[in-house]
Amino acid sequence: MDKSMPMVTKSEDILETRDHATFMQGVKDCIPTLLGYLSIGFAAGVIEMTAGLSLAETALLSLILYAGSAQFIAAGMLASNGSAAAIIFTIFFVNLRHLLLSAAVSPYFRHLTPLKNMWIGSLLTDESFGVAMTRAIGRKTLSERWMHGLNITAYLNWFAANMAGAYFGRWITNPEQFGLDFALPAMFIGLIVLQLIHRKNRKLHINVAIIAVVCVVLASMASLGSMSIIVAAVVAATMGVVMERWK
């Protein structure tokens, strides 16, 4: 062994594999998802306003709950005089998927303390998860600063969209004519395509996606409601692991 060659320690190897993207890069990477946040957040603000919530109540709901589907459910149940216990119970099961999202992202932040991981997980959404998983391809870690840029940009944009919907929504009687109802599905399709482009085994991932769709349909037919997403994610992920090991 050449003694002139510098010794590389294990800690140095770990540092070299870390993602050093900046906060501003996270902000930029969030931009493609902003249309989805704006359209759905605007619609949520309109629904919350028609349910009888004030601007202050809408603001608190968007900042504390910060979940599109859950906010729609909460507004609907409030409008129908649903009990607090029923609203909390329903929202809990609708948002159970965030346990799966956080579990999938957590391996890329093992170098952080539990408190910092909780801060990242508290602002994680379906959209920011999709962007993060796309960036995670070929990497062992993700930058904390980059993730904060991504999450905080999405968070503030969602709040602004809710406020705009609550304030201006009274003049929009038919949001569907502007195509706002399709903005979110279109955004997710784009995220999936971007991930497939960078994957080596595309056939496997397409098969897993098909399995997930079939599971959602069957679970919905079985009247599992919001649990359909959880069941489909668990079954499809398990089948994907099995197929990858046996290929």
Side-chain angles (χ1 to χ4, degrees), residues 177-200:
Q177 67 180 335
F178 300 105
L180 296 179
D181 56 325
F182 189 69
L184 190 61
M187 181 186 62
F188 277 119
I189 291 172
L191 290 174
I192 291 173
V193 171
L194 287 175
Q195 289 198 43
L196 287 176
I197 289 175
H198 295 91
R199 297 285 183 177
K200 295 181 179 179

Side-chain angles (χ1 to χ4, degrees), residues 13 16 26 69 76 104-105 125-126 150 190 192 212 225 229 245:
D13 286 334
E16 289 178 359
S69 57
V105 168
T125 66
D126 302 292
L150 176 68
I192 291 173
I229 302 297
R245 290 184 177 180

Side-chain angles (χ1 to χ4, degrees), residues 81-133:
N81 296 318
S83 66
I87 294 174
I88 293 172
F89 185 78
T90 303
I91 290 175
F92 173 77
F93 279 101
V94 168
N95 283 346
L96 270 179
R97 70 186 186 280
H98 287 281
L99 291 175
L100 299 175
L101 301 183
S102 299
V105 168
S106 62
Y108 298 98
F109 297 100
R110 287 175 179 168
H111 57 287
L112 301 179
T113 63
L115 185 61
K116 290 183 177 180
N117 271 280
M118 289 176 63
W119 170 239
I120 289 174
S122 66
L123 294 181
L124 190 67
T125 66
D126 302 292
E127 295 82 5
S128 59
F129 171 80
V131 176
M133 287 296 96

Side-chain angles (χ1 to χ4, degrees), residues 174-225:
N174 187 17
E176 289 81 6
Q177 67 180 335
F178 300 105
L180 296 179
D181 56 325
F182 189 69
L184 190 61
M187 181 186 62
F188 277 119
I189 291 172
L191 290 174
I192 291 173
V193 171
L194 287 175
Q195 289 198 43
L196 287 176
I197 289 175
H198 295 91
R199 297 285 183 177
K200 295 181 179 179
N201 193 348
R202 297 176 187 173
K203 183 178 179 181
L204 172 63
H205 293 86
I206 292 174
N207 288 334
V208 171
I210 293 173
I211 292 172
V213 171
V214 172
C215 287
V216 167
V217 173
L218 294 177
S220 299
M221 292 173 63
S223 301
L224 293 182

Side-chain angles (χ1 to χ4, degrees), residues 139-177:
R139 292 183 171 88
K140 293 183 179 180
T141 65
L142 288 175
S143 167
E144 177 188 6
R145 292 174 297 175
W146 176 85
M147 197 68 198
H148 286 325
L150 176 68
N151 278 343
I152 293 174
T153 302
Y155 186 59
L156 296 178
N157 184 72
W158 176 258
F159 172 72
N162 272 252
M163 291 294 94
Y167 186 77
F168 296 106
R170 67 195 74 180
W171 294 291
I172 299 179
T173 58
N174 187 17
E176 289 81 6
Q177 67 180 335

